[in-house]
Amino acid sequence: MSDYYDAFEMSPVPAPGPDATPPEPFRGIYGMPAFVTIPTSDLAASVDFWTRGLGFFELFSIPGRVVHLRRWAFQDVLLVPAESVPEQAPAMSVSFACLLDQVDSLVEACRALRPDSVDGPRDTPWTTRDIAVITPENARIVFTAAKPFDPASQEARNLEAVGITPPGVGRGDNEEHA
């Protein structure tokens, strides 16, 4: 038996499908369960790229100290001043969810600001379409969009082989996990 269970009600990410709509920008203040801090040598240029290219908004800033950016709930980035940034992007990345119909516009917006900043899109064996973006700070940011689940697909068989089955397949009501 698998210990995995459907807990999508905890997430702001909508179920994949042709009618999926992104959540509204979330402007509430909450205890952040995770966030990314990115040093930048040009705070204004970084804010411009993250807002116009990646679709984040400025939640608040402390001039010269930090700019808190957010996209959806739990997609928080803190830009902080630094003397310099790495000359190239690290192998490590941070990923943010998006919708399939947002992938092309993210690619276009980022390439309009920095022509060589985007790699992809690429489809993954776990049913997502991903793009990797190198920001002005040389951070590697991945936007990942879930593709609609096809239970007859190879991806579904791959997931089932590791114990992940779609909601409603061979499971109860999840009461024991609530």
Side-chain angles (χ1 to χ4, degrees), residues 21-101:
T21 58
E24 293 294 318
F26 189 81
R27 297 183 183 278
I29 301 297
Y30 51 73
M32 297 183 297
F35 60 93
V36 180
T37 301
I38 298 182
T40 175
S41 58
D42 187 339
L43 205 50
S46 293
V47 169
D48 184 59
F49 186 83
W50 281 81
T51 56
R52 293 194 311 137
L54 300 175
F56 283 74
F57 66 90
E58 190 174 321
L59 183 64
F60 70 85
S61 67
I62 300 172
R65 303 287 305 225
V66 65
V67 176
H68 186 152
L69 303 175
R70 182 175 291 154
R71 200 164 163 272
W72 300 349
F74 311 119
Q75 293 186 342
D76 293 278
V77 173
L78 304 180
L79 297 174
V80 296
E83 292 296 317
S84 63
V85 297
E87 290 187 30
Q88 55 181 285
M92 188 189 99
S93 64
V94 62
S95 298
F96 294 99
C98 67
L99 298 183
L100 272 177
D101 69 359

